[in-house]
């Protein structure tokens, strides 16, 4: 049974009643202990960087700015959102496989901390823009490893990929980039897989990173300012998933990390954990109201005001091979359980948020809450499809609720 938490239910009910549904509620009180735990367990080796692609909500970004040292943006639009939310550009890195000239120019003019170079083309373009603007731009070079250990829910390594410079090509590419006069190689970056709930696989993956970092730094005589570890830390999404044990990760990775940090070449190097979902995913709930109930050929269906259009990931269409239910509960609890399908308002059979979910009897007007919704929510969903209202976004801090809905789309256009 998916047991409701009464504090959360109180917040979700208030948010739905005051601001309407569908809504995402981000409870900052649930993020604070996650940051503290990361710092306690891994802070000896790593600083944190928030990958804002997982949740670019302006209210959340402002809240995080006071609490996390770095941010990673993946477009010019994300950079502007971060700056508007109070992040100085020099605390940002900029990843992404398709950086347009207008974005690179703006980022360099804003004083971007580090450009994450994903290709020789990124480097050449950035070099000529930096030359025009009379700057030297710090870059970290993203390397695409040739393998990722088993156990990662989402893997990018060892096959053709648009991301980063393939490890086979890295020595030549680094030599070329080092010769560009308006770029300074400040470090290296790897992100090769994510959604891993297995400590041993994470530790093995970081071991692969350290081998690559060490080899390339020795070969090119780099004393990097920064090495960025795309963390890969996963979160429990589905009933039965066990949360990742960070203590186990720290214990198993500690000796390797200690030895790495003790190498003279890395004595001044900052190691950075770049992560998104692990920080904010479990702190978010998606709440949708049941618009009607249908009994159809032996199945009870709750048809809700928000579905796949508001929460693509929970519908199973955001990179999931097999659709599995997220953890779902009926707000307010109730006695007994019976299976019910949860669907959304779209005219397509793939608009389903839950299949045979065991819940106390659900009726029209009830609120349904989907857990682990703080990352890859509205910004990863087709919110315009069939022109239903876009979901509200509410920041819950202590007893306070703040409507932080992102009103308009953004993006840096070259027209
Ligand atoms: C380069 C990079 N860094 C970080 C992340 C964040 O991943 P996660 O939210 O799984 O931590 C992503 C996600 O796609 C990414 O592409």
């Amino acid at each position: 049974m998916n047991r409701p938490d009464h504090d959360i239910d109180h917040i979700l009910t208030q948010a739905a009643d005051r601001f309407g549904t569908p809504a995402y509620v981000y409870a900052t009180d649930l993020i604070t202990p996650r940051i503290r735990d990361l710092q306690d367990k891994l802070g000896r080796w790593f600083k944190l960087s928030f990958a804002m692609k997982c949740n670019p909500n302006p209210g959340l970004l402002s809240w995080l700015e006071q609490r996390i040292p770095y941010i990673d943006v993946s477009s010019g639009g994300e950079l502007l959102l971060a700056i508007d939310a109070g992040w100085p550009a020099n605390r940002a890195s900029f990843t992404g496989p398709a950086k347009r000239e207008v974005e690179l120019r703006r980022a360099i003019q804003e004083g971007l901390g580090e450009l994450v170079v994903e290709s020789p083309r990124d480097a050449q373009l950035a070099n000529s823009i930096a030359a025009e603007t009379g700057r030297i731009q710090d870059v970290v070079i993203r390397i695409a490893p040739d393998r990722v250990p088993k156990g990662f829910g989402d893997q990018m390594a060892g096959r053709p990929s648009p991301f980063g410079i393939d490890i086979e090509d890295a020595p030549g590419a680094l030599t070329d980039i080092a010769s560009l006069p308006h770029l300074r190689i400040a470090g290296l970056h790897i992100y090769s897989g994510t959604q891993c709930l297995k400590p041993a696989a994470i530790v093995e993956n970081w071991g692969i990173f350290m081998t690559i970092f060490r080899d390339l730094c020795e070969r090119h005589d780099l004393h990097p300012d920064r090495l960025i570890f795309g963390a890969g830390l996963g979160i429990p999404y589905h009933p039965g998933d066990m949360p990742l044990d960070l203590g186990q990760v720290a214990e198993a990775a500690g000796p390797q990390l200690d030895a790495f940090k003790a190498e003279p070449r890395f004595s001044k190097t900052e190691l950075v954990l770049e992560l998104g979902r692990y920080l904010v995913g479990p702190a978010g709930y998606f709440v949708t109201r049941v618009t009607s109930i249908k009994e159809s050929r032996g199945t009870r269906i709750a048809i809700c005001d928000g579905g796949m259009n508001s929460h693509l990931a929970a519908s199973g269409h955001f990179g999931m091979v097999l659709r599995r239910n997220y953890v779902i509960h009926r707000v307010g609890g109730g006695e007994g359980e019976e299976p019910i399908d949860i669907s959304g308002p779209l005219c397509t059979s793939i608009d389903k948020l839950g299949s045979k979910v065991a819940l106390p009897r659900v009726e029209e007007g009830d609120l349904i809450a989907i857990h682990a919704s703080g990352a890859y929510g509205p910004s990863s969903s087709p919110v315009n499809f069939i022109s239903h209202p876009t979901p509200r976004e509410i920041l819950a801090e202590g007893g306070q609720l703040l409507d932080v809905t992102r009103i308009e789309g953004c993006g840096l256009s070259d027209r």
Side-chain angles (χ1 to χ4, degrees):
M1 142 147 187
N2 304 325
R3 213 176 276 285
D5 167 330
H6 293 294
D7 290 343
I8 279 297
D9 276 4
H10 180 64
I11 291 170
L12 298 181
T13 307
Q14 271 195 317
D17 290 348
R18 273 179 60 191
F19 303 105
T21 51
Y24 280 86
V25 179
Y26 311 125
T28 56
D29 296 349
L30 299 177
I31 305 175
T32 304
R34 300 187 74 74
I35 297 175
R36 201 179 309 124
D37 197 39
L38 278 160
Q39 281 162 346
D40 287 352
K41 307 272 172 39
L42 301 172
R44 197 167 128 206
W45 304 287
F46 291 108
K47 291 264 183 351
L48 300 180
S49 175
F50 178 57
M52 70 171 276
K53 62 171 71 67
C54 84
N55 192 331
N57 181 272
L60 187 69
L61 290 183
S62 294
W63 188 87
L64 285 169
E65 190 274 324
Q66 305 285 316
R67 293 161 177 90
I68 302 282
Y70 300 117
I71 191 161
D72 181 63
V73 309
S74 285
S75 68
E78 284 199 350
L79 178 64
L80 297 187
L81 276 171
I83 291 173
D84 281 353
W87 286 83
N90 67 6
R91 281 167 56 199
S93 56
F94 181 5
T95 54
K99 301 182 193 82
R100 289 171 296 130
E101 184 174 342
V102 64
E103 297 176 295
L104 282 173
R105 189 174 297 281
R106 184 65 181 264
I108 291 171
Q109 282 166 349
E110 292 285 350
L112 178 76
E114 280 137 10
L115 179 70
V116 182
V117 162
E118 303 225 15
S119 63
R121 174 264 182 201
D122 265 5
Q124 277 143 15
L125 192 51
N127 181 62
S128 56
I129 295 169
E132 277 171 38
T133 46
R135 287 164 200 253
I136 307 278
Q137 176 62 50
D138 275 1
V139 297
V140 301
I141 300 173
R142 179 169 177 183
I143 308 297
D146 56 4
R147 69 190 183 92
V148 62
K150 282 207 180 83
F152 278 73
D154 186 1
Q155 314 197 351
M156 305 176 158
R159 49 184 136 120
S161 153
F163 308 114
I165 294 174
D166 294 344
I167 181 70
E168 310 83 289
D169 302 328
L174 256 76
T175 303
D176 293 346
I177 295 167
S179 73
L180 297 171
H182 288 272
L183 303 185
R184 174 180 165 272
I185 300 180
L188 302 172
H189 174 291
I190 303 181
Y191 174 90
S192 54
T194 191
Q195 187 39 26
C196 184
L197 293 171
K198 299 196 173 95
I202 287 167
V203 174
E204 188 184 340
N205 204 33
W206 293 355
I208 296 173
F209 293 7
M210 284 186 267
T211 302
I212 292 175
F213 290 151
R214 185 183 290 111
D215 285 357
L216 287 175
C217 288
E218 273 171 17
R219 200 193 273 249
H220 296 273
D221 197 21
L222 298 176
H223 292 78
D225 297 346
R226 206 154 292 159
L227 293 171
I228 303 180
F229 289 55
L233 307 182
I235 57 172
Y237 281 107
H238 312 292
D241 281 356
M242 293 302 288
L244 178 65
D245 185 336
L246 272 194
Q248 269 187 38
V249 173
E251 200 181 318
Q256 276 192 79
L257 286 163
D258 281 338
F260 188 79
K261 286 207 80 151
E263 292 177 30
R265 181 176 295 285
F266 302 122
S267 62
K268 297 208 173 82
T269 304
E270 201 169 63
L271 306 186
V272 176
L273 265 195
E274 182 176 289
L275 73 182
R277 76 186 76 211
Y278 190 85
L279 273 173
V280 296
Y285 288 80
F286 174 71
V287 58
T288 178
R289 202 176 282 284
V290 178
T291 311
S292 63
I293 296 283
K294 179 176 179 188
E295 298 280 356
S296 176
R297 304 191 174 113
T299 294
R300 189 170 168 85
I301 306 173
I303 305 169
C304 300
D305 59 9
M308 166 187 151
N309 53 329
S310 305
H311 200 336
L312 185 69
S315 76
H317 298 287
F318 186 65
M320 212 187 280
V321 181
L322 285 179
R323 209 202 78 73
R324 288 167 70 199
N325 292 341
Y326 273 38
V327 174
I328 297 176
H329 80 266
R330 175 185 173 282
V331 176
E335 292 303 310
E337 278 182 355
E338 61 183 39
I340 188 160
D341 283 7
I342 314 281
S343 68
L346 305 184
C347 314
T348 161
S349 55
I350 61 172
D351 185 13
K352 189 178 245 197
L353 296 182
S355 182
K356 297 190 175 52
V357 189
L359 296 180
R361 191 167 181 86
V362 174
E363 301 289 359
E364 184 175 323
D366 284 350
L367 293 173
I368 301 292
I370 302 192
H371 299 215
S373 296
Y376 306 105
S379 66
S380 315
S381 302
V383 292
N384 292 327
F385 186 34
I386 313 205
S387 300
H388 289 286
T390 51
R392 310 307 299 175
E393 291 180 272
I394 311 300
L395 206 63
E397 188 164 18
Q400 305 296 314
L401 297 181
L402 193 64
D403 186 349
V404 289
T405 307
R406 190 172 148 186
I407 307 294
E408 47 194 50
C410 72
L412 192 57
S413 164
D414 44 11
R415 292 282 173 277

